[in-house]
Structure formats: C-alpha cells, structure tokens
Amino acid sequence: MSLHVVDHALIRHKLTALRRRETQSAHFRRLLGEIGALLTMEALRALPESQQRIDTPLVAMVAPILAAPEPCLVAILRAGLGLLEGARTVLPDAPVGHVGLVRDETTLAASQYMLRLPPELSARGALLLDPMLATGGSAANAVRALRQAGTRDIRFACVVAAPEGVARMTAEFPDVPIYTAALDERLNEHGYIVPGLGDAGDRCFGTE
Ligand code: PRP
Ligand code: URA
C-alpha cells in the first residue's frame, strides 16, 4: 500500500494547532499553507534528476537539476486552496488546476461543480491537494477527472486521512501514492474524521 504518513516534527506541531477548536480562520489558513509547502516537499522528494554543468562564482561544477518540468498542482475546492497557497511557494512556476467538489451531507457522495485543468497535465503529471481524505469519494472523483484528462502520474497529498478513505483510494487507485500528515482513527456517523479538525472548508473560509 502506498500510504506515506509524513514523519516531521514541524508538520505534527502545525497539525496540532490546526486541530484546536479555538484556532481562528486566518491562523487556520496560514497553517494549512505552511503544511501544504512541507507536504509538497515530501511528496516530490524523489522527482527524477539530471546533471548540469554550471559556474559558481568560484568554479565550474556539475550540479543536479530536475530532469523534467515540475508536476502540475491541482486543488480540490474549496479546502484544497489552503494547501495550494503553500504548495505554490515551493513550486511557483507549476501550472495549477482546480476541481470543484462538494459532498452531499446525507449520502456523503461527492459531486463535481467545476473542472479547470492545465493543458500540460498529461505531460507533467499532478500533485492533487485536499486537506481531508474522509470517505475518499472526493479524492476518487478528482483522480478520475485527472485520468480522463490523460495523466497517469498522480500523487495525492492531504493533512488528515481516515482509514476508510485510504482503503477506498488504495483499492481503486493502487498506483496513486497518498502523502498525509496524520492517519486518524475513524469516521463518525456524519462522515467526519475523528479526531480530525472539523470542516476544513468552513474553517478555512469562515463559513461555519
Ligand atoms: C470536504 C473536504 C474534502 C471532502 C472529503 O469538502 O475538503 O474535499 O470533504 O470528504 P470525502 O473524502 O468523504 O469525500 P466539502 O465537500 O465539505 O467541500 P468544501 O471543501 O467546499 O467545504
Ligand atoms: N470533510 C471535512 O472537511 N472534514 C471531515 O472531517 C470530513 C470531510
């Protein structure tokens, strides 16, 4: 199974602040961005490299560079926008896509209301961003949309994952690695992750 629970003291520290009930929207968004940057670094740790001859101010040397253009960043709306802000500080030149998805509160099924993907997607691959992997319906819907757009090379980054969502994603898309800051205990009867951090979109945008 391709699940990576990122082992980083700073990520754990920031996630604890994110989980706190009293953390207000502006702070919540800032933390989400910071975690987004750290998760992006981790998810792209092993991108293929090549060597290039360069001149430093002192000498000539052969130094590593990325072998191919960096992957596209794709945010699942709305809460993925919080992660995207941080991811873009690390990859400022990456093309960006958006997948608008909302869960039905009763059935928990995700429905798509918007899709805008960069043309470079199939050539570059994608890092898909959403802070919450709960039932996995939203992530699965987004991966299907990316696949239909022609890319097989997809990584998924989230902040909190539930075992139910991980099971669904790894069964349906065993070739999509998942990078998460935490694997939580379970979903409650309303489909919320426990202990979780509540509704990420509402907390991010102050719509609670
Ligand atoms: C939340 C969250 C994820 C989704 C996860 O979005 O941001 O996208 O739920 O749940 P799932 O794994 O069960 O699909 P929501 O539908 O609340 O929309 P929002 O981000 O606009 O608030
Ligand atoms: N979406 C959220 O924002 N939070 C959860 O706990 C589950 C789905």
Side-chain angles (χ1 to χ4, degrees), residues 104-149:
D104 180 294
E105 282 181 14
T106 313
T107 65
L108 300 182
S111 58
Q112 202 181 100
Y113 57 84
M114 190 254 195
L115 181 66
R116 193 76 198 254
L117 298 174
E120 298 93 333
L121 194 70
S122 53
R124 289 179 178 241
L127 176 61
L128 181 63
L129 303 161
D130 188 337
M132 311 306 281
L133 178 63
T135 65
S138 302
N141 185 308
V143 169
R144 278 194 291 274
L146 299 187
R147 288 270 153 93
Q148 270 168 20

Side-chain angles (χ1 to χ4, degrees), residues 15 18-21 28 32 78-79 103 130-134 160 184 187-188 190-204 208:
L15 174 56
L18 207 58
R19 289 186 193 272
R20 286 184 200 277
R21 179 198 292 269
F28 188 91
L32 210 47
R78 292 174 297 163
R103 289 201 311 178
D130 188 337
M132 311 306 281
L133 178 63
V160 182
D184 273 12
L187 295 180
N188 71 10
H190 305 293
Y192 277 83
I193 302 174
V194 179
L197 50 75
D199 189 309
D202 282 348
R203 296 193 68 186
C204 204
E208 279 169 289

Side-chain angles (χ1 to χ4, degrees), residues 145-157:
L146 299 187
R147 288 270 153 93
Q148 270 168 20
T151 186
R152 296 220 61 78
D153 178 16
I154 301 168
R155 297 169 173 86
F156 178 69

Side-chain angles (χ1 to χ4, degrees), residues 4-179:
H4 307 267
V5 181
V6 177
D7 180 14
H8 199 302
L10 265 183
I11 294 187
R12 284 190 287 271
H13 179 75
K14 289 175 190 295
L15 174 56
T16 297
L18 207 58
R19 289 186 193 272
R20 286 184 200 277
R21 179 198 292 269
E22 61 270 24
T23 299
Q24 298 298 306
S25 190
H27 189 201
F28 188 91
R29 227 170 26 249
R30 192 168 69 241
L31 289 163
L32 210 47
E34 290 165 357
I35 294 174
L38 293 164
L39 284 174
T40 300
M41 298 285 280
E42 191 62 29
L44 304 181
R45 172 186 285 273
L47 282 180
E49 294 171 275
S50 60
Q51 303 291 322
Q52 190 172 62
R53 195 169 175 77
I54 62 163
D55 296 311
T56 78
L58 301 178
V59 290
M61 70 176 286
V62 175
I65 57 167
L66 291 183
E70 65 271 51
C72 298
L73 298 170
V74 180
I76 298 182
L77 307 185
R78 292 174 297 163
L81 291 173
L83 287 180
L84 176 67
E85 244 173 73
R88 293 195 86 191
T89 64
V90 179
L91 293 180
D93 296 322
V96 172
H98 297 88
V99 187
L101 288 167
V102 65
R103 289 201 311 178
D104 180 294
E105 282 181 14
T106 313
T107 65
L108 300 182
S111 58
Q112 202 181 100
Y113 57 84
M114 190 254 195
L115 181 66
R116 193 76 198 254
L117 298 174
E120 298 93 333
L121 194 70
S122 53
R124 289 179 178 241
L127 176 61
L128 181 63
L129 303 161
D130 188 337
M132 311 306 281
L133 178 63
T135 65
S138 302
N141 185 308
V143 169
R144 278 194 291 274
L146 299 187
R147 288 270 153 93
Q148 270 168 20
T151 186
R152 296 220 61 78
D153 178 16
I154 301 168
R155 297 169 173 86
F156 178 69
C158 61
V159 178
V160 182
E164 293 88 337
V166 171
R168 176 170 178 173
M169 284 294 285
T170 50
E172 204 171 329
F173 305 108
D175 54 342
V176 174
I178 299 170
Y179 297 85

